[in-house]
Every structure is written in C-alpha cells, then in structure tokens.
Amino acid sequence: ALVGRLLEEGACAALDQNQLLRETMVRGSGGTLTLLLKHGFLKSTTVWNDLYRLADEQQNTEHKAVLLEYRNNEMAVQDPLKPLSL
C-alpha cells in the first residue's frame, strides 16, 4: 500500500530510490520490486548489478527472475539473441 501511494503521488526529492530498491530486496515481495522497476526507480546498470548480487546472496529466485526479466525487456543486452536466464 505504501509503495502504491508513493507511486501515485509522484517522485519525492528526499526519497532515495536506490535505498528503497535495496530495502525491497531484503523485505519486499517480487510484486513490489516489479512496481518500482516499472516506475523508473532503477537508473543504472551498476545498481542493477548490486540488486542482482543481493538477490543471489539471499537465494531469492523470485527477485532474481524479476531483475532478469526487467533486464531482458528494458536494458540493452550485449547479445540480443542470448537473453539472460536463471
């Protein structure tokens, strides 16, 4: 509910989007992570790499799947014929 409200009210300058993504990786669901990604919270490949590493450390396959799907659909992949997978 909180994420939905944040997204509805728009960007808040004081909101650290990267920190919110990291906290979602630790405490949030795959659905929450998907909402944040769809609303443009992820701004760099470096942050994506950090989030993926965190999901891997936590052995959270749901978050890894969300991140891989986002990368395959939204980010430039070096070889478009070879998308990333689990």
Side-chain angles (χ1 to χ4, degrees):
L2 176 60
V3 172
R5 185 171 176 190
L6 285 170
L7 297 174
E8 288 172 9
E9 292 179 7
C12 173
L15 181 66
D16 183 347
Q17 293 179 344
N18 292 337
Q19 183 61 32
L20 186 57
L21 283 167
R22 287 184 189 93
E23 288 177 15
T24 299
M25 296 297 294
V26 174
R27 297 185 204 115
S29 69
T32 301
L33 179 59
T34 299
L35 280 173
L36 295 175
L37 295 175
K38 284 184 179 179
H39 283 83
F41 277 56
L42 182 61
K43 304 273 191 259
S44 75
T45 304
T46 303
V47 174
W48 185 94
N49 289 334
D50 290 342
L51 296 176
Y52 190 83
R53 188 172 20 259
L54 184 58
D56 195 39
E57 288 171 4
Q58 295 177 341
Q59 298 178 348
N60 190 325
T61 55
E62 181 182 20
H63 287 164
K64 286 170 64 174
V66 168
L67 288 168
L68 289 171
E69 182 178 354
Y70 177 82
R71 181 171 178 156
N72 288 339
N73 293 332
E74 304 295 331
M75 299 171 75
V77 177
Q78 300 249 343
D79 182 1
L81 299 177
K82 186 179 176 186
L84 297 175
S85 62
L86 290 175

